Amino acid sequence: MHRSSATAFTLALLVVLTAGCADDEPDAASGPSAGATVAGSGEATPDAVTTTATATASPTTGSALNTAQVCRAVDQLIIDGSRQIVADSTAATREELTPEQLNGKLKGRLSRLADDVRGQARRAQDARIKKLIDDTAAKIDDGAAAKSPASWMGKEFVDIPPRLTRDCHA
């Protein structure tokens, strides 16, 4: 019964986190590149780059656009990773996995998420954003290495989306 309660708690926590990240997304786009139009591929359209470049006429326009793209990609990775963890937790409950099996799944999922986030840090042109995202990946690595990743998520993971919302912008 304890295992089911812990899984249900993790599931509820992740649903809240996912909703919180999704609600914060428009705020992240309100930075300097908010006027840019983004095509379905995630890349700015030529008109958007021209509009932004004309409006700011600074050499950092490309860096600001890169920051917006990288921050948006990291936010999406966190949302997608949270959804996958929720799906894993639901499946674990249905399959009646042991706590060790669930921890193994969570550790693997968090490790992959950290690698994906680290990949976005390599794309960042702004050193401050690169450090922020590298630090985020390191925090997620801590969760993958934790004895109880579910407990780590309730204590540490919940701080990641607000920090990114607050600090990941040009």
Side-chain angles (χ1 to χ4, degrees), residues 99-111 114 137-157:
E100 293 79 21
Q101 291 171 318
L102 178 58
N103 279 342
K105 280 188 168 229
L106 285 172
K107 287 177 183 231
R109 183 68 68 192
L110 288 169
S111 181
K139 285 182 185 293
I140 297 170
D141 278 333
D142 290 346
K147 182 177 178 181
S148 173
S151 294
W152 173 86
M153 291 181 70
K155 295 175 185 169
E156 303 292 329
F157 188 78

Side-chain angles (χ1 to χ4, degrees), residues 38-72:
V38 178
S41 67
E43 297 296 319
T45 61
D47 290 340
V49 173
T50 304
T51 302
T52 304
T54 304
T56 60
S58 80
T60 61
T61 300
S63 179
L65 182 59
N66 170 265
T67 294
Q69 291 172 339
V70 168
C71 290
R72 196 173 312 115

Side-chain angles (χ1 to χ4, degrees), residues 17-39:
L17 285 173
T18 302
C21 288
D23 290 343
D24 291 340
E25 225 171 326
D27 293 4
S30 64
S33 61
T37 304
V38 178

